[in-house]
């Protein structure tokens, strides 16, 4: 049975709403999903990569769809930015190199032709002197899938509520160690590294084909790829990649590894850990959430003891808690993770926060909550060790009150509050 949950009342949400600030356009807004959610028969859609995985993900493919934003009148501004960046990286040589925008596309990574595992916006550019030299750059500011915005919103507002100095991390005055388990197209780690100058992001992906797809077909920085010996796969970045990613790709470390093995072999202490790991059958591996697994026990040692925050994407929907058996059966058929949500929450809370018998688990030393993601069947689960809150009210108030601050510090194109206020439930 689902443990007794606590729901945020509307008065708490209204209390912390502030005057709306003027945001930059969100090119990843859900209203654009019709552009990349189209059918494969669409004449404008084409497959740019397709191969079979030997890591349990089935057929991996990347499909390309036209993007309406940024519109053509905005391209000269980006071309000017590329020129200025080239001048910074190679002083005195910029007059010989002119980059031009070829266009923008949505690129969607799929498993077994069904699951849209990741979606990113990609810019294609080329040297004017060599039109055949096409370069892809994933747009780091664009999070197309709502659950990624949810993970960012709930994760950063939570760690900020624990008195973690997010301002210094964003400005680069302090290092923020982040681990992303599950890579996909790379939108989440790229977004974090581009928005937080002090972020050093380790990324773990078990499937080398997924890594190749993200770099070759989805514009993720190639310089981020690591070897088993913890060295860069490339001794130095390509000239154009350095122009596009300098200041960001040096802080991304993409490892091909099993998540459990990676955690067991590491000694790093992480401020934040994001977990979004599903296979070709849309299954969240049991060993990544079982309370008795070596993975969770090792994760316990890798998480910062004072403010460490873990965010997990669960492909589940709280409507499954409806007591109507026919409704529950429907959700369990199409969202098999639903039947395991309570166990996942219990496992993470008992191991990472404590069950009341350990020093970590003393009253007020940590908490776990979940929120539903709008528009899609996903739930974000957050477990945090910090925040010496005295009551459930203070936990919720503390997190929600940080949402305007986080939006402003990171200059987010979306509202954190929109992703916090939907079915916020504390796990007892």
């Amino acid at each position: 049975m689902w443990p007794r949950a606590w729901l945020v009342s509307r008065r708490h949400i209204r209390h912390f709403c502030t005057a709306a600030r003027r945001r930059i356009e969100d090119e990843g807004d859900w209203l654009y999903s019709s552009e990349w959610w189209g059918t494969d028969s669409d004449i404008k859609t084409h497959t740019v990569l397709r191969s079979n995985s030997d890591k349990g993900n089935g057929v991996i493919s990347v499909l390309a769809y036209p993007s309406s934003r940024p519109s053509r009148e905005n391209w000269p501004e980006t071309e000017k930015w590329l020129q200025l960046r080239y001048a910074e990286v190679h002083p005195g040589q910029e007059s010989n190199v002119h980059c031009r925008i070829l266009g923008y596309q949505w690129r969607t990574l799929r498993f077994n032709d069904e699951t849209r595992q990741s979606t990113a916006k990609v810019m294609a550019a080329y040297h004017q002197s060599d039109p055949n030299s096409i370069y892809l750059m994933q747009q780091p500011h664009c999070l197309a899938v709502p659950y990624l915005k949810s993970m960012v919103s709930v994760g950063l507002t939570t760690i900020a509520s624990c008195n973690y100095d997010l301002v210094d991390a964003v400005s680069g005055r302090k290092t923020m160690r982040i681990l992303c388990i599950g890579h996909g197209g790379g939108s989440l780690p790229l977004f974090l590294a581009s928005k937080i100058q002090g972020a050093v992001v380790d990324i773990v992906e078990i499937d080398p084909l997924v890594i190749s797809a993200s770099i070759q077909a989805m514009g993720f920085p190639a310089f981020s790829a690591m070897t088993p010996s913890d060295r860069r796969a490339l001794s130095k970045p390509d000239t154009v990649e350095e122009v596009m990613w300098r200041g960001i790709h040096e802080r991304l470390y993409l490892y091909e590894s099993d998540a459990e093995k990676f955690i067991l072999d590491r000694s790093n202490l992480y401020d934040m850990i994001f977990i979004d790991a599903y296979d070709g059958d849309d299954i969240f591996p049991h060993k990544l959430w079982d309370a008795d697994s070596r993975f969770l026990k090792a994760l316990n040692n890798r998480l910062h003891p004072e403010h460490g925050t873990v965010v997990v994407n669960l492909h589940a929907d709280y409507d499954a808690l409806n007591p109507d058996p026919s409704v529950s059966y429907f959700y369990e058929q199409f969202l098999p993770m639903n039947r395991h949500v309570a166990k996942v929450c219990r496992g993470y809370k008992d191991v990472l926060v404590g069950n009341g018998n350990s020093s970590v688990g003393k009253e007020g030393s940590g908490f776990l909550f979940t929120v539903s993601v709008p528009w899609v069947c996903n739930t974000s689960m957050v477990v945090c060790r910090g925040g010496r809150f005295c009551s459930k009210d203070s936990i919720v108030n503390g997190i929600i009150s940080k949402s305007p601050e986080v939006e402003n510090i990171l200059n987010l194109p979306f509202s954190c509050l929109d992703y916090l206020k939907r079915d916020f439930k504390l796990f007892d």
Side-chain angles (χ1 to χ4, degrees):
M1 181 180 292
W2 183 256
R4 183 173 175 270
W6 186 72
L7 181 65
V8 179
S9 65
R10 290 184 178 180
R11 68 181 179 86
H12 288 300
I13 293 174
R14 284 200 300 268
H15 179 72
F16 289 111
C17 286
T18 58
R21 66 182 176 88
R22 185 175 181 179
R23 292 190 181 89
I24 58 175
E25 180 185 5
D26 183 4
E27 294 177 17
D29 192 283
W30 188 243
L31 67 89
Y32 295 118
S33 63
S34 59
E35 297 182 356
W36 53 267
W37 197 270
T39 63
D40 297 349
S41 60
D42 190 331
I43 193 171
K44 296 181 180 179
T45 302
H46 64 280
T47 301
V48 295
L49 182 146
R50 185 178 178 84
S51 188
N52 291 310
S53 166
D54 60 1
K55 293 292 186 178
N57 289 325
V59 178
I60 293 180
S61 58
V62 177
L63 276 66
Y65 304 82
S67 172
S68 62
R69 293 288 186 275
S71 55
R72 188 176 289 270
E73 56 263 28
N74 297 123
W75 295 6
E77 182 179 350
T78 304
E79 291 173 346
K80 181 179 179 181
W81 174 80
L82 288 170
Q83 197 72 11
L84 291 174
R85 289 282 291 180
Y86 198 95
E88 293 175 6
V89 176
H90 300 284
Q93 300 180 30
E94 66 275 12
S95 60
N96 300 321
V97 177
H98 297 278
C99 291
R100 294 291 180 262
I101 304 301
L102 187 62
Y104 292 83
Q105 290 181 337
W106 297 104
R107 295 283 177 99
T108 300
L109 177 68
R110 290 191 180 186
F111 290 172
N112 291 321
D113 296 325
E114 296 178 359
T115 305
R116 290 174 175 82
Q117 205 279 344
S118 181
T119 297
K121 180 172 287 187
V122 174
M123 177 188 75
Y126 65 95
H127 283 159
Q128 191 173 24
S129 59
D130 183 10
N132 293 321
S133 60
I134 298 176
Y135 302 91
L136 299 180
M137 180 186 187
Q138 187 175 142
Q139 302 300 278
H141 59 277
C142 181
L143 292 178
V145 188
Y147 80 77
L148 292 178
K149 293 178 182 177
S150 175
M151 294 178 77
V152 167
S153 297
V154 299
L156 293 178
T157 52
T158 296
I159 197 170
S161 74
C162 299
N163 296 319
Y164 179 83
D165 194 342
L166 192 59
V167 173
D168 275 4
V170 170
S171 66
R173 290 191 294 269
K174 68 178 293 184
T175 298
M176 184 179 198
R177 294 303 303 260
I178 300 175
L179 172 63
C180 292
I181 296 177
H183 178 58
S187 297
L188 180 59
L190 199 54
F191 182 88
L192 294 169
S194 64
K195 286 289 186 179
I196 304 173
Q197 294 182 41
V200 175
V201 188
D202 290 341
I203 313 155
V204 182
E205 171 58 51
I206 194 172
D207 196 333
L209 189 55
V210 170
I211 293 176
S212 296
S214 73
I215 293 173
Q216 297 174 16
M218 302 187 75
F220 193 80
F223 188 64
S224 63
M226 304 295 292
T227 67
S229 59
D230 278 4
R231 296 184 178 182
R232 296 284 186 183
L234 299 175
S235 58
K236 64 178 182 179
D238 175 272
T239 299
V240 175
E241 180 170 311
E242 192 173 9
V243 169
M244 291 177 170
W245 297 116
R246 183 178 177 181
I248 296 177
H249 62 186
E250 302 94 335
R251 295 181 283 109
L252 291 168
Y253 299 85
L254 175 53
Y255 297 88
E256 177 196 334
S257 176
D258 173 79
E260 181 182 275
K261 182 180 185 302
F262 183 88
I263 288 292
L264 288 168
D265 291 345
R266 297 285 142 173
S267 59
N268 298 336
L269 203 61
Y270 292 102
D271 301 300
M272 296 197 73
I273 299 174
F274 293 87
I275 303 176
D276 180 23
Y278 287 81
D279 62 20
D281 295 320
D282 203 25
I283 300 298
F284 184 29
H286 184 263
K287 70 178 182 179
L288 297 187
W289 55 267
D290 182 11
D292 295 322
S293 69
R294 294 194 304 165
F295 171 78
L296 270 185
K297 292 175 181 177
L299 199 70
N300 181 53
N301 296 324
R302 302 280 71 80
L303 189 63
H304 197 285
E306 296 179 1
H307 56 252
T309 301
V310 179
V311 185
V312 182
N313 172 47
L314 299 176
H315 194 190
D317 195 302
Y318 274 125
D319 286 342
L321 301 177
N322 190 309
D324 184 339
S326 62
V327 175
S328 297
Y329 175 79
F330 171 81
Y331 278 104
E332 287 188 3
Q333 290 296 305
F334 293 95
L335 296 171
M337 195 64 221
N338 271 351
R339 67 174 71 99
H340 303 299
V341 170
K343 293 180 181 178
V344 175
C345 291
R346 176 56 59 201
Y348 272 80
K349 187 173 183 183
D350 284 354
V351 175
L352 301 183
V353 174
N355 56 16
N357 298 322
S358 66
S359 58
V360 177
K362 291 181 180 178
E363 184 67 27
S365 65
F367 55 90
L368 184 149
F369 70 89
T370 57
V371 294
S372 295
V373 181
W375 303 298
V376 292
C377 297
N378 290 79
T379 294
S380 293
M381 182 193 80
V382 181
V383 57
C384 179
R385 282 183 167 169
R388 301 289 169 173
F389 298 109
C390 60
S391 67
K392 291 179 178 179
D393 266 11
S394 64
I395 293 175
V396 181
N397 293 350
I399 294 171
I400 291 180
S401 67
K402 285 294 181 179
S403 62
E405 180 181 329
V406 170
E407 290 172 28
N408 283 303
I409 293 172
L410 278 80
N411 192 26
L412 296 179
F414 52 85
S415 166
C416 289
L417 185 61
D418 287 346
Y419 294 91
L420 280 165
K421 67 185 181 182
R422 183 179 169 92
D423 293 332
F424 188 119
K425 295 182 176 70
L426 280 172
F427 189 89
D428 289 334

